[in-house]
C-alpha cells in the first residue's frame, strides 16, 4: 500500500509539474498576477509529493519489501541499515528519484525564499524548473519506475553492489546530485533572463548564490568520490580520469567559471552574454554527465545503467533543453549589451582569462572523455584515452591558472598596473620559489612535477594571504589586524578557496611525484621495508562479517624499532553476489599515509602484498575541504542573503518581448 502511495504521488507530481511549467509562463507573458502566483504553491507541492514517493521507496528498502523489483535487485536482509538506506540511491531508478527530489527542492526553495525577485522573473524561473521536472518525472515514470511489483516475491534480495557498500559511497551521490541539479537554477535564471531580455547586476547577484551552492556541493561530492576510490579500490590512486569522474568534473569547472564571470556582470555590467552561455553550458554538462552514467555508452565502475533506450530519452532531454536554450540565446544576443568598459590590464580582463582557461580545460576533458565513443562510431576503432593524455592536455591550463590567479585577484577594477600588483606579491613569490627549491632538494632530482606543484601551490596559498592582508589598508599592524576581522565574509571565502586550490595542487604533485610502491609475496612472520618503515605480516585469518566473508591480515608497521601502527587490510567476498572486494588498511598521517593491501594466497604459502607510502595524501582532502569552506563563507555573506534589487521589488522589469 505504501509503495502504491509513492507511485501515485509521483504521477501527481508530474501533473503539478506540468501546471508549474505552463501556467506561470503564460501569466508572466500576459502580466496576469494570479497566474504567476501559481508558481510558488506548485513548486512546493511538487516537492512534497516527490518527498512522499522518496519516503515510500526508503521505507520499502528499510523493511526489505521484496515485492518491489528494485528492492530485490539492490538489497538483502543481512545488509547493514546504512546500506539499506543508501541502497535507495545505489541504483538507476532510485538515484533518478533522488535527482528529481533535489530538483524539486531547489524549485521550492526559490519559491519560498525568492520573495525579493521581480514577479515575472520569478514566475519564469520556476516555470523553467517545472519544465525540467516534467522531463525527468516522465523519464522516471515511463522508463525507470522504481515502484514496479513482482508477481512472486522471493524470500531474499540480490544485495547491493559490494563496491557501493561503503560510507564514502553512501554520501557521495547525494552531494553530487545537489551540485548537478543545483546548476539547473543557474540555467533557469539564464533562460528566464533571455525571455525577459534583461541581464543586469541584480540578475547576477540573484544567480550567484545558487551557483555557489551547487559548486560547494559538487566540490564535496567529487572529494568524497576521490577519497572512496583512494581507500576502497585498492590501487592507491585518487583520480583515474574515469568517464564518470570526468562527468562530475566538467560541470565543476564550468560552475567555477560562471561564479567568476557573474562577478564581472555584477560589478561592471560586462560579460553578460558569456555569463548566460556559461549558465547554459554548466547545466548542459550536468545533463551530459547524466547521459554518460545512465546510457551504457561508456563502461565505468560508477555507471548506474546500461540501457540504450534510456540513453536515447536522456539525449532527447538534452537536445530539447540545450537546443532550446542556445536558440533563445542566439535570438536574444542583441539584448545583452555590455555597459562597463575596462582596460586590457584590469581585474575584468583577469577574470576573462580565468574563464577562458577553465572553459577550455573543461572542453579538453570532454574531448578526452567522448573521443573513444566517437572513434568507435565513425571509424569502428576501439581507442583508450587515459591519464597520460589528460595529464599532458589538462595540466598546462591549470598551471597557467595557478600562475595568474594571485595577480588577477589583487588587480583593481577597470584599470590596473601589473607592476604595482607584482611588487605587493614579491614576498609570496620568494616563499613559493623557496618551497619549490626545497622540494627539488628533498626529492633528489627524480622529476620536476613535485617541485613545480609545490611552488605553484605555495604561490596560490601565499598569494591568497597577501591578497587578504592587502585589503586591510595601511597603518600599524594592530589596526590592520582589527580591520582583518571586519572584512566581508566573501573576501575570506575567496581567499580560503584559492588557498584550498593551492593545497590541493601541492598534494597532487607530491602524490604523483614521490609516492613509493612495493609489490611482493610475504610469508606470515616476514617483514619488508617500505620507505623507511618496516612492515611485518603477523597473521592472516578468516573473519565473518554481517553479509560477507573476509580474509583479514594483521600487519605491524614499525619505524626504528618503534611500533607506529597495526593495520588490518582485508579481502572480502559477498556470497550473495559472489563478488570480491579489496579493503585497504591505512595509517593516516599529516605528512604521509601508509597504505597496505592484501592479495591472493600464493603456491608457496605466502600472500601477495601491496604497500604504498603516500606523501601529503591528506592534504588533498584538506584542500578540497578548504575550497568548500571558502564557498560556505562566501555564501554566508550578508550580501548574498540580502539579494540585490530588493528595493526594486515594485519596479516592472524591462522586457524585450
Amino acid at each position: 500500500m505504501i509503495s502504491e502511495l509513492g507511485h501515485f504521488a509521483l504521477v501527481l507530481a508530474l501533473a503539478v509539474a506540468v501546471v508549474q511549467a505552463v501556467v506561470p509562463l503564460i501569466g508572466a507573458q500576459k502580466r496576469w498576477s494570479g497566474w504567476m502566483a501559481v508558481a510558488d504553491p506548485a513548486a512546493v507541492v511538487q516537492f512534497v509529493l516527490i518527498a512522499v514517493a522518496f519516503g515510500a521507496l526508503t521505507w520499502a528498502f528499510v523493511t526489505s519489501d521484496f515485492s518491489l523489483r528494485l528492492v530485490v535487485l539492490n538489497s538483502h536482509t543481512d545488509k547493514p541499515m546504512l546500506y539499506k538506506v543508501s541502497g535507495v540511491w545505489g541504483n538507476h531508478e532510485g538515484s533518478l528519484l533522488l535527482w528529481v527530489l533535489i530538483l524539486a527542492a531547489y524549485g521550492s526553495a526559490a519559491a519560498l525564499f525568492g520573495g525579493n525577485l521581480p514577479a515575472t522573473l520569478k514566475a519564469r524561473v520556476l516555470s523553467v524548473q517545472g519544465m525540467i521536472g516534467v522531463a525527468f518525472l516522465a523519464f522516471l515514470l515511463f522508463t525507470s519506475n522504481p515502484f514496479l511489483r513482482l508477481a512472486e516475491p522471493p524470500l531474499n534480495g540480490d544485495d547491493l553492489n559490494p563496491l557501493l557498500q561503503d560510507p564514502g559511497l553512501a554520501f557521495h551521490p547525494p552531494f553530487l546530485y545537489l551540485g548537478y541539479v543545483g546548476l539547473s537554477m543557474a540555467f533557469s535564471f539564464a533562460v528566464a533572463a533571455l525571455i525577459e531580455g534583461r541581464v543586469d547586476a541584480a540578475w547576477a547577484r540573484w544567480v550567484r548564490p545558487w551557483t555557489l551552492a551547487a559548486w560547494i556541493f559538487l566540490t564535496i561530492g567529487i572529494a568524497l568520490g576521490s577519497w572512496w576510490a583512494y581507500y576502497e579500490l585498492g590501487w592507491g590512486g585518487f583520480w583515474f580520469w574515469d568517464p564518470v569522474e570526468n562527468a562530475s568534473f566538467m560541470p565543476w569547472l564550468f560552475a567555477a567559471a560562471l561564479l567568476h564571470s557573474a562577478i564581472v556582470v555584477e560589478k561592471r555590467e560586462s560579460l553578460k552574454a558569456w555569463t548566460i552561455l556559461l549558465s547554459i553550458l554548466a547545466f548542459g554538462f550536468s545533463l551530459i554527465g547524466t547521459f554518460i552514467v545512465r546510457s551504457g555508452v561508456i563502461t565505468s565502475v560508477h555507471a548506474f545503467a546500461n540501457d540504450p533506450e534510456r540513453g536515447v530519452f536522456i539525449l532527447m532531454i538534452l537536445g530539447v533543453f540545450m537546443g532550446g536554450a542556445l536558440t533563445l540565446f542566439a535570438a536574444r544576443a542583441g539584448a545583452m549589451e555590455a555597459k562597463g568598459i575596462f582596460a586590457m590590464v584590469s581585474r575584468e580582463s583577469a577574470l576573462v582569462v580565468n574563464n577562458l582557461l577553465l572553459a577550455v580545460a573543461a572542453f579538453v576533458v570532454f574531448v578526452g572523455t567522448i573521443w573513444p565513443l566517437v572513434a568507435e562510431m565513425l571509424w569502428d576503432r576501439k581507442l583508450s584515452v587515459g591519464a597520460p593524455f589528460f595529464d599532458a592536455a589538462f595540466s598546462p591550463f591549470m598551471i597557467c591558472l595557478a600562475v595568474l590567479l594571485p595577480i588577477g585577484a589583487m588587480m583593481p577594477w577597470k584599470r590596473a598596473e601589473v607592476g604595482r600588483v607584482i611588487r605587493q606579491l614579491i614576498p609570496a613569490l620568494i616563499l613559493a620559489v623557496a618551497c619549490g627549491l626545497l622540494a627539488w632538494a628533498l626529492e633528489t632530482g627524480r622529476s620536476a612535477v613535485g617541485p613545480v606543484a609545490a611552488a605553484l601551490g605555495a604561490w596560490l596559498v601565499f598569494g591568497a594571504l597577501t591578497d587578504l592582508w592587502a585589503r586591510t589598508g595601511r597603518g600599524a599592524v594592530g589596526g590592520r589586524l582589527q580591520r582583518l576581522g571586519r572584512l566581508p565574509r566573501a573576501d575570506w571565502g575567496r581567499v580560503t578557496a584559492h588557498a584550498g586550490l593551492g593545497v590541493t595542487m601541492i598534494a597532487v604533485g607530491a602524490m604523483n611525484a614521490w609516492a613509493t610502491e612495493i609489490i611482493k609475496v610475504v610469508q606470515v612472520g616476514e617483514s619488508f621495508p617500505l620507505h623507511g618503515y618496516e612492515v611485518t605480516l603477523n597473521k592472516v585469518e578468516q573473519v565473518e562479517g554481517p553479509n560477507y566473508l573476509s580474509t583479514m591480515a594483521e600487519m605491524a608497521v614499525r619505524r626504528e624499532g618503534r611500533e607506529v601502527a597495526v593495520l588490518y587490510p582485508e579481502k572480502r567476498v559477498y556470497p550473495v553476489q559472489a563478488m570480491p572486494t579489496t579493503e585497504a588498511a591505512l595509517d593516516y598521517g599529516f605528512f604521509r599515509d601508509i597504505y597496505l593491501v592484501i592479495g591472493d594466497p600464493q603456491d608457496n604459502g605466502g600472500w601477495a602484498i601491496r604497500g604504498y607510502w603516500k606523501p601529503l595524501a591528506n592534504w588533498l582532502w584538506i584542500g578540497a575541504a578548504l575550497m568548500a569552506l571558502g564557498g560556505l563563507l562566501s555564501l554566508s555573506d550578508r550580501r548574498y542573503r540580502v539579494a540585490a534589487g530588493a528595493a526594486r521589488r515594485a519596479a516592472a522589469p524591462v522586457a524585450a518581448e
Side-chain angles (χ1 to χ4, degrees):
M1 180 62 186
I2 293 179
S3 296
E4 279 69 27
L5 178 63
H7 190 186
F8 184 60
L10 276 184
V11 175
L12 286 179
L14 176 58
V16 172
V18 171
V19 173
Q20 180 183 334
V22 175
V23 175
L25 192 63
I26 297 174
Q29 185 73 17
K30 300 292 186 179
R31 298 297 195 273
W32 295 343
S33 58
W35 285 46
M36 288 190 287
V38 170
D40 288 2
V44 174
V45 170
Q46 184 191 161
F47 169 69
V48 171
L49 288 170
I50 298 174
V52 169
F54 189 82
L57 186 62
T58 303
W59 178 258
F61 270 84
V62 169
T63 58
S64 297
D65 181 2
F66 296 122
S67 66
L68 279 188
R69 176 178 177 273
L70 193 65
V71 179
V72 172
L73 294 177
N74 296 279
S75 191
H76 192 275
T77 53
D78 292 336
K79 193 166 64 172
M81 182 56 68
L82 172 63
Y83 305 130
K84 286 186 177 181
V85 174
S86 63
V88 176
W89 55 80
N91 55 82
H92 167 71
E93 293 83 357
S95 65
L96 191 59
L97 180 57
L98 178 63
W99 209 102
V100 296
L101 174 67
I102 294 172
L103 178 70
Y106 274 107
S108 64
L112 294 172
F113 303 112
N116 57 330
L117 293 171
T120 54
L121 179 65
K122 183 180 181 182
R124 285 170 170 141
V125 167
L126 292 178
S127 177
V128 176
Q129 283 290 114
M131 294 176 192
I132 301 171
V134 169
F136 278 92
L137 284 167
F139 179 38
L140 181 66
L141 285 167
F142 298 138
T143 73
S144 313
N145 188 352
F147 295 106
L148 292 179
R149 292 280 193 182
L150 292 176
E152 298 180 3
L155 295 176
N156 220 324
D158 296 341
D159 207 0
L160 180 67
N161 183 337
L163 287 174
L164 303 181
Q165 296 187 38
D166 180 88
L169 258 290
F171 300 106
H172 162 67
F175 277 105
L176 269 189
Y177 293 167
L178 284 165
Y180 271 149
V181 184
L183 292 174
S184 68
M185 289 301 301
F187 176 84
S188 296
F189 268 96
V191 172
L194 287 172
I195 294 173
E196 291 203 352
R198 169 181 170 175
V199 180
D200 54 15
W203 176 88
R205 182 67 64 87
W206 287 320
V207 81
R208 279 181 66 199
W210 299 104
T211 306
L212 184 57
W215 183 84
I216 292 168
F217 286 127
L218 267 178
T219 302
I220 296 172
I222 291 171
L224 282 174
S226 176
W227 180 52
W228 168 81
Y230 173 63
Y231 71 79
E232 173 66 23
L233 298 183
W235 57 284
F238 60 90
W239 195 260
F240 195 62
W241 295 106
D242 178 276
V244 179
E245 291 175 336
N246 296 344
S248 61
F249 190 43
M250 290 183 287
W252 185 88
L253 291 168
F254 277 114
L258 174 58
L259 284 173
H260 291 85
S261 67
I263 296 174
V264 183
V265 177
E266 178 187 343
K267 300 290 186 182
R268 302 291 302 150
E269 295 265 359
S270 296
L271 299 187
K272 294 181 181 180
W274 174 247
T275 303
I276 290 288
L277 182 60
L278 281 177
S279 300
I280 296 170
L281 290 177
F283 182 60
F285 273 82
S286 293
L287 294 180
I288 290 172
T290 303
F291 171 74
I292 289 174
V293 174
R294 300 175 190 278
S295 64
V297 297
I298 295 177
T299 303
S300 166
V301 68
H302 308 278
F304 275 121
N306 55 2
D307 187 343
E309 292 183 4
R310 291 171 176 169
V312 171
F313 203 116
I314 298 172
L315 276 181
M316 291 172 60
I317 294 174
L318 179 64
V320 168
F321 284 100
M322 289 296 291
L326 292 174
T327 301
L328 187 59
F329 173 78
R332 293 293 201 188
M336 293 178 284
E337 180 182 357
K339 296 181 180 179
I341 300 175
F342 53 88
M344 183 66 71
V345 180
S346 61
R347 180 178 291 189
E348 292 94 327
S349 296
L351 288 170
V352 170
V353 174
N354 160 290
N355 270 225
L356 291 175
L357 289 171
L358 288 170
V360 175
F363 278 114
V364 166
V365 176
F366 174 70
V367 170
T369 303
I370 210 73
W371 187 250
L373 178 62
V374 173
E376 186 173 356
M377 289 176 59
L378 297 182
W379 301 292
D380 196 25
R381 294 180 58 189
K382 290 190 177 295
L383 299 178
S384 177
V385 178
F389 166 81
F390 289 104
D391 292 342
F394 179 81
S395 298
F397 297 103
M398 291 299 100
I399 291 172
C400 292
L401 183 67
V403 169
L404 297 174
L405 195 151
I407 300 172
M410 294 187 64
M411 281 185 176
W413 295 101
K414 196 172 182 178
R415 185 178 290 105
E417 296 179 14
V418 176
R420 183 177 179 181
V421 175
I422 291 179
R423 282 194 296 271
Q424 291 178 283
L425 285 166
I426 285 176
L429 180 61
I430 293 172
L431 289 170
V433 171
C435 289
L437 292 174
L438 176 62
W440 177 263
L442 291 176
E443 76 155 3
T444 66
R446 284 182 295 173
S447 167
V449 173
V452 168
L456 288 174
W459 168 243
L460 285 170
V461 173
F462 293 125
L465 295 176
T466 303
D467 179 19
L468 192 66
W469 185 248
R471 293 182 183 278
T472 61
R474 297 181 179 181
V477 173
R480 297 184 72 175
L481 287 174
Q482 289 181 355
R483 290 192 291 273
L484 193 65
R486 295 195 296 268
L487 287 176
R489 291 182 186 176
D491 287 345
W492 281 96
R494 183 189 66 256
V495 166
T496 303
H498 290 176
L501 178 61
V503 172
T504 300
M505 191 168 287
I506 292 171
V508 170
M511 293 177 73
N512 283 335
W514 303 324
T516 299
E517 177 184 4
I518 185 170
I519 303 174
K520 64 182 304 177
V521 176
V522 182
Q523 302 286 336
V524 173
E526 185 181 354
S527 301
F528 61 93
L530 179 60
H531 200 91
Y533 292 84
E534 183 183 73
V535 182
T536 303
L537 178 60
N538 290 338
K539 62 180 179 180
V540 179
E541 58 185 353
Q542 303 299 315
V543 177
E544 185 173 345
N547 63 332
Y548 61 83
L549 301 174
S550 171
T551 300
M552 180 186 292
E554 180 184 293
M555 305 180 76
V557 181
R558 295 181 178 84
R559 183 160 193 171
E560 298 177 351
R562 181 178 60 87
E563 187 172 274
V564 175
V566 178
L567 302 180
Y568 299 90
E570 299 180 62
K571 193 173 183 65
R572 295 178 180 176
V573 175
Y574 290 76
V576 175
Q577 292 204 348
M579 181 175 177
T581 65
T582 299
E583 304 292 326
L586 287 91
D587 178 42
Y588 294 101
F590 187 71
F591 292 107
R592 61 91 186 115
D593 281 357
I594 300 295
Y595 185 112
L596 299 174
V597 179
I598 184 172
D600 296 323
Q602 304 299 301
D603 294 337
N604 62 358
W607 293 83
I609 299 293
R610 177 175 293 173
Y612 298 94
W613 178 80
K614 294 285 185 180
L616 305 183
N618 285 310
W619 289 34
L620 187 66
W621 329 124
I622 292 171
L626 285 173
M627 284 190 278
L629 176 62
L632 286 171
L633 287 172
S634 295
L635 195 59
S636 68
D637 193 301
R638 185 177 181 274
R639 292 174 296 178
Y640 282 102
R641 298 196 305 273
V642 182
R648 312 173 201 171
R649 190 177 307 177
V654 179
E657 296 170 334

